[in-house]
């Protein structure tokens, strides 16, 4: 019994060590639309790093939001790698699609956020103690390396209003 427990703890420990946040940046391109009073990584425990973001939406209600996420892999400098996807966030949340990798990333992210409903958004958005989960990557096994994910938001008209950059390391082999 004790042995089983130990194995369990061992694997949980390992899996958390495998995908690790290293840096976080939130940039508002339109301070009249969006602002980030908080955007930082916090040490939650040994080797466990959580992201904390407070998003202030200043033109509420938000009924339209296009997001674009791009993943980069670092070789010599960061190069686009694998994903460059744009989504109508409101529509995607209204009609979730299990075939879509975005669905899995969103589902894994939900427990850490109050973004668990579809549009309109009338409140500030919080992300609290968000850790990356290796389950996010089980559908998309990424090779060991250093990555950057950028999440850009567009007000749904033509204006890119913000960029969130998430830097992380993966070591899954
Ligand atoms: C986030 O983690 C910190 C440090 O471990 C803890 O004090 C805090 O209560 C956590 N917040 C939430 C919302 O889980
Ligand atoms: C991502 O795709 C958009 C639209 O196709 C393109 O304009 C943009 O240059 C691409 N960005 C990167 C970093 O590849
Ligand atoms: C969304 O999250 C809030 C706070 O965590 C919770 O009170 C609420 O029931 C959740 N709503 C849905 C639809 O899951």
């Amino acid at each position: 019994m004790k042995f089983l427990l130990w194995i369990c703890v061992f694997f949980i420990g390992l899996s958390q060590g495998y995908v690790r946040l290293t840096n976080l940046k939130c940039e508002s391109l339109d301070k009249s639309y969006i602002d980030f009073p908080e955007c930082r990584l916090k040490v939650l425990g040994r080797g466990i790093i959580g992201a904390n973001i407070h998003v202030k939406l200043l033109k509420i209600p938000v009924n339209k939001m296009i997001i674009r996420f791009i993943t980069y892999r670092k070789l010599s400098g960061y190069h686009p790698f694998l994903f460059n996807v744009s989504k109508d966030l409101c529509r995607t949340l209204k009609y979730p699609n299990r075939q879509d990798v975005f669905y899995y990333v969103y589902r894994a992210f939900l427990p850490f956020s109050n973004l668990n409903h579809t549009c309109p958004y009338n409140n500030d958005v919080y992300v609290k103690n968000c850790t990356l989960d290796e389950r996010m990557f089980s559908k998309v096994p990424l090779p060991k390396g250093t990555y950057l994910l950028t999440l850009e938001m567009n007000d749904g008209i033509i204006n890119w209003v913000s960029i969130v950059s998430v830097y992380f390391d993966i070591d899954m082999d």
Side-chain angles (χ1 to χ4, degrees):
M1 189 61 202
K2 224 171 180 175
F3 181 68
L4 275 180
L5 193 66
W6 186 83
I7 295 269
C8 224
V9 169
F10 182 70
F11 276 105
I12 290 167
L14 265 189
S15 60
Q16 279 169 336
Y18 277 174
V19 184
R20 190 183 295 118
L21 291 166
T22 57
N23 200 0
L24 179 68
K25 286 181 201 161
C26 308
E27 190 186 352
S28 169
L29 307 175
D30 182 348
K31 288 255 163 63
S32 70
Y33 187 95
I34 192 169
D35 203 6
F36 297 95
E38 184 180 23
C39 175
R40 64 190 174 113
L41 296 182
K42 212 157 68 175
V43 179
L44 303 178
R46 232 182 101 175
I48 305 169
I49 313 280
N52 288 270
I53 305 176
H54 174 186
V55 184
K56 229 176 171 40
L57 296 168
L58 299 163
K59 287 191 181 151
I60 53 175
V62 170
N63 287 304
K64 198 152 175 64
M65 173 77 80
I66 308 294
I67 59 166
R68 177 160 78 192
F69 69 95
I70 305 178
T71 44
Y72 298 82
R73 188 176 181 207
K74 190 174 183 183
L75 297 166
S76 52
Y78 286 94
H79 298 277
F81 177 77
L82 218 52
F83 294 110
N84 178 352
V85 187
S86 290
K87 292 267 167 208
D88 178 331
L89 185 69
C90 300
R91 183 180 307 181
T92 304
L93 298 188
K94 201 164 178 186
Y95 307 106
N97 176 3
R98 286 163 176 279
Q99 312 286 300
D100 192 340
V101 65
F102 177 81
Y103 175 84
Y104 288 94
V105 176
Y106 177 70
R107 281 280 299 265
F109 170 76
L110 261 189
F112 305 107
S113 153
N114 64 341
L115 196 68
N116 58 353
H117 62 88
T118 185
C119 301
Y121 292 107
N122 291 305
N123 306 103
D124 292 8
V125 176
Y126 292 93
V127 176
K128 289 197 174 145
N129 292 353
C130 179
T131 49
L132 290 182
D133 187 326
E134 84 284 357
R135 274 175 301 171
M136 289 181 191
F137 301 93
S138 59
K139 302 278 167 189
V140 209
L142 295 177
K144 174 177 171 159
T146 294
Y147 293 88
L148 161 63
L149 181 152
T150 59
L151 190 63
E152 294 167 87
M153 275 164 266
N154 185 305
D155 63 6
I157 306 165
I158 38 162
N159 299 307
W160 294 95
V161 293
S162 69
I163 308 175
V164 173
S165 305
V166 184
Y167 295 79
F168 57 101
D169 289 340
I170 291 187
D171 184 351
M172 294 217 283
D173 44 28

